[in-house]
Amino acid sequence: MRPIFELSFMPSWLTSGTDTVCHYKGNSDPPKNFSKWGELIGALGEHLVSKYGEEMASEFRFEVWNEPNDNFWRGTQSQYFELYRQSVENLKKASSKLQVGGPATCCASCWLSDFVAYCHNSSVPFDFISSHAYSSCGMPGLGTQMNAIVSPSGELFEDVISKLFA
């Protein structure tokens, strides 16, 4: 078993605002400087590669933010995509083997196609696509949609990608 790092909540010294969520007061605003966010995340990647070695660190997964389509992110979708870009580019500088993905939505039909399209059109890499499912809320089509997008071996993945970029 290896950890999944959820890269979320803005440090107070980097935040562009004062919006917080939950009892722990996680800051949900975008950074005031996206490059500084990228440097911070890159330093985390460098530290993990140095401490655990590249092979071990390459088994970790980095999910950028938590449910940016909900109250955990007070920025726009475009700002999230920039946050993701900064994160993945700086983690991949630490090691191209680090696994980075998103958008970590709380809805299987929210942002996933937009995320893949953004990454494709902007030449931004992703190693996995993520969405969070909850037993307390209905998410019709979750299994079908996630299998269609994430399946590493089937035609379904190709079908989804070809439809997105047709």
Side-chain angles (χ1 to χ4, degrees), residues 3 25-26 36 39-40 49 55 92 94 103 115 125 145 155-157 165:
K25 306 271 189 228
K36 292 287 183 198
E39 291 171 14
L40 174 66
V49 168
E55 289 310 308
K92 295 289 187 180
F115 176 75
Q145 183 164 355
E155 291 178 42
L156 290 175
F157 180 80
F165 306 113

Side-chain angles (χ1 to χ4, degrees), residues 22-152:
C22 300
H23 66 280
Y24 46 83
K25 306 271 189 228
N27 191 288
S28 54
D29 289 305
K32 57 186 167 192
N33 183 320
F34 284 88
S35 295
K36 292 287 183 198
W37 167 266
E39 291 171 14
L40 174 66
I41 299 307
L44 171 65
E46 290 171 7
H47 170 74
L48 293 170
V49 168
S50 173
K51 182 166 181 70
Y52 298 104
E54 187 174 47
E55 289 310 308
M56 172 73 77
S58 71
E59 296 178 21
F60 303 164
R61 289 185 181 237
F62 298 87
E63 186 176 68
V64 179
W65 213 257
N66 178 54
E67 301 175 1
N69 63 308
D70 201 6
N71 290 329
F72 292 100
W73 176 250
R74 298 291 187 190
T76 65
Q77 186 184 63
S78 299
Q79 287 173 311
Y80 171 78
F81 290 159
E82 178 60 14
L83 186 87
Y84 178 82
R85 185 183 70 77
Q86 288 288 335
S87 300
V88 70
E89 286 179 359
N90 282 280
L91 284 166
K92 295 289 187 180
K93 284 180 190 174
S95 169
S96 62
K97 294 181 178 183
L98 295 180
Q99 299 180 61
V100 187
T105 60
C106 64
C107 167
S109 61
C110 300
W111 290 28
L112 300 185
S113 295
D114 294 340
F115 176 75
V116 172
Y118 164 78
C119 290
H120 173 79
N121 294 334
S122 303
S123 299
V124 173
F126 65 88
D127 298 300
F128 61 91
I129 297 169
S130 61
S131 187
H132 303 161
Y134 295 95
S135 61
S136 62
C137 60
M139 295 180 78
L142 173 66
T144 307
Q145 183 164 355
M146 292 305 289
N147 286 338
I149 293 175
V150 182
S151 178

